[in-house]
Amino acid sequence: LGGCWKSRVEALGDGDDKDKSLCLNPVQGPSGQTIPKCLDMISHEDVIRHVHEFLFDYDYYEELNAT
């Protein structure tokens, strides 16, 4: 599975071809903004966990403590 790589969630009507590459699953977020469903499905806990995993995998914390 991969990203859909659509350019926009809503058409802006600015003449750009990106208006022809719209998200197929837009949802309204808590703020009322229309966002892609795929982004709405990602929790902040998931983001934090993956950032920490990345930093541990690349020994960032060890380098930080060595200075």
Side-chain angles (χ1 to χ4, degrees):
L1 292 174
C4 69
W5 301 106
K6 298 296 183 179
S7 298
R8 294 181 172 169
V9 179
E10 297 177 319
L12 298 180
D14 59 0
D16 194 304
D17 278 346
K18 291 176 184 157
D19 273 358
K20 299 174 186 171
S21 179
L22 301 178
C23 174
L24 300 176
N25 296 298
V27 297
Q28 194 168 31
S31 68
Q33 181 180 13
T34 303
I35 59 175
K37 182 177 181 179
C38 60
L39 291 182
D40 187 51
M41 293 169 58
I42 302 170
S43 72
H44 62 276
E45 291 94 351
D46 288 336
V47 173
I48 293 167
R49 186 179 73 254
H50 286 289
V51 168
H52 281 292
E53 288 173 3
F54 174 83
L55 294 174
F56 279 114
D57 286 348
Y58 291 95
D59 297 325
Y60 174 79
Y61 291 118
E62 282 186 31
E63 289 181 25
L64 188 62
N65 290 328
T67 58

